[in-house]
Amino acid sequence: MRQPAIRLANASAAYDGRPVLRGIDLTVAAGERVALMGRSGAGKSTLIGLIHGQVPERVALVPQAAALVRTLSVFHNVYMGRLDRNRTAHNLRNLVWPARADLDAVGAVLARVGLADRLRERAGALSGGQQQRVSVARALYNGRPILLADEPVSALDRVQGGLVLAELACTHETLVMALHDVSLALAHATRIVVLTAGRIVLDAPSADLDAAALRRYYTDEEALA
């Protein structure tokens, strides 16, 4: 039996006194790839935040917004994934004069998401999809065993999105990802957890589900997206 990487018991969360999550029981074993699904506002982002707060030292995070420093280069934004594992003097030097070894390491990660030629470009000059891939590259460079990702491929087409999800699965032992695309979730997750109004209403192996079983948890507009 694999050891749990994540465990929440009867967890809840509220904003301004309004309940967002209620009675959440969730255990994720090391090695699982979990897709969090459900309508907009169901509580997926809040659940990712709860998990992150529980084990921050073991997590690489892809936030919903790319959260890049737009005035800095792509290199510097990806390099931030390991800032806490380098000496302050080394980080300050890299801000002005990046070390060749760090340039090569970041460049290799960018190649995995199709952005090897963007290493020295300003992050703010990239398209939305490219910025999202930089955010993914930062998590890949971080390399910690648990990946938490909030819609990490929402700005990409299905082919690109599938390639990016495959790269994440290669690097991180355990994945918990909020995904909107039903096809990608079924193809790249081993387990599907669906939230409705802040509660878990479905928790099943992806092999036991199909698109029709999941689309009923969405509005007509979301199901067609």
Side-chain angles (χ1 to χ4, degrees):
M1 182 73 180
R2 288 175 294 182
Q3 291 297 310
I6 297 161
R7 178 177 286 155
L8 296 176
N10 197 29
S12 62
Y15 291 133
D16 297 326
R18 180 178 65 86
V20 178
L21 295 175
R22 292 168 290 180
I24 298 295
D25 293 313
L26 180 68
T27 299
V28 179
E32 283 196 283
R33 301 193 302 276
V34 178
L36 301 179
M37 307 196 75
R39 297 180 182 182
S40 299
K44 302 184 296 295
S45 297
T46 303
L47 181 52
I48 285 174
L50 277 184
I51 296 169
H52 185 245
Q54 185 187 58
V55 286
E57 72 286 350
R58 303 190 66 226
V59 164
L61 179 67
V62 182
Q64 190 172 59
L68 305 181
V69 181
R70 295 170 59 84
T71 56
L72 291 180
S73 70
V74 168
F75 164 79
H76 287 104
N77 275 277
V78 175
Y79 177 78
M80 286 177 190
R82 291 189 191 172
L83 275 180
D84 60 341
R85 279 170 274 178
N86 293 305
R87 297 187 179 207
T88 301
H90 184 80
N91 289 334
L92 289 173
R93 176 185 181 275
N94 266 351
L95 186 62
V96 179
W97 194 266
R100 171 49 56 188
D102 293 319
L103 285 168
D104 290 345
V106 170
V109 171
L110 287 169
R112 294 172 61 186
V113 296
L115 293 174
D117 59 339
R118 307 287 178 162
L119 181 71
R120 296 184 182 272
E121 284 195 36
R122 187 170 57 85
L126 302 181
S127 69
Q130 288 170 332
Q131 289 186 31
Q132 190 168 59
R133 281 185 282 160
V134 172
S135 184
V136 168
R138 183 172 55 201
L140 291 172
Y141 186 65
N142 177 294
R144 287 191 169 105
I146 299 173
L147 175 87
L148 299 178
D150 196 347
E151 297 290 354
V153 295
S154 59
L156 308 179
D157 63 40
R158 189 165 287 165
V159 173
Q160 276 189 327
L163 292 172
V164 165
L165 293 178
E167 289 294 335
L168 290 171
C170 285
T171 298
H172 304 279
E173 179 184 48
T174 306
L175 278 66
V176 178
M177 309 170 290
L179 293 175
H180 186 77
D181 189 298
V182 169
S183 296
L184 286 177
L186 290 171
H188 293 275
T190 57
R191 178 177 165 196
I192 306 290
V193 173
V194 178
L195 293 168
T196 296
R199 293 185 183 275
I200 294 175
V201 295
L202 176 70
D203 185 346
S206 56
D208 294 345
L209 301 169
D210 59 18
L214 293 176
R215 287 193 175 114
R216 69 189 186 90
Y217 294 102
Y218 292 87
T219 64
D220 291 341
E221 291 80 7
E222 288 175 320
L224 291 171

